[in-house]
Amino acid sequence: MENPLVSCIIPMFNSQNTISACLESIANIDYKPLEVIVVNDGSTDKSVEVTQRFIEKSEDTGIDFTILGDDI
């Protein structure tokens, strides 16, 4: 029997110093299928850029990462 999809939703606001550690922790979970939805709530720092870099380097994890927000 296949595992059901689990969605992890992460609200993000000015999290450039912590978002990578958060995403890394989730990426290390030994469960598939997994999707991670990061919702930017108007960050004015480099949170979006840091998140996009993390997603690019994690393309081979099998996790579906998505960033949502008005300024994406």
Side-chain angles (χ1 to χ4, degrees):
M1 181 175 184
E2 190 173 314
N3 290 335
L5 174 66
V6 170
S7 300
C8 180
I9 301 171
I10 303 169
M12 177 178 69
F13 178 76
N14 290 346
S15 303
Q16 72 181 17
N17 296 325
T18 57
I19 193 65
S20 287
C22 176
L23 295 173
E24 186 72 36
S25 178
I26 294 168
N28 287 331
I29 294 173
D30 189 27
Y31 183 92
K32 301 291 187 283
L34 179 64
E35 72 175 344
V36 178
I37 302 167
V38 180
V39 182
N40 182 39
D41 193 17
S43 295
T44 57
D45 63 358
K46 302 254 187 251
S47 296
V48 172
E49 291 87 349
V50 170
T51 302
Q52 288 171 330
R53 280 195 304 265
F54 182 89
I55 291 170
E56 288 170 7
K57 82 170 190 169
S58 302
E59 287 180 350
D60 61 342
T61 62
I63 299 172
D64 183 21
F65 288 96
T66 304
I67 305 174
L68 300 177
D70 290 339
D71 57 343
I72 306 300

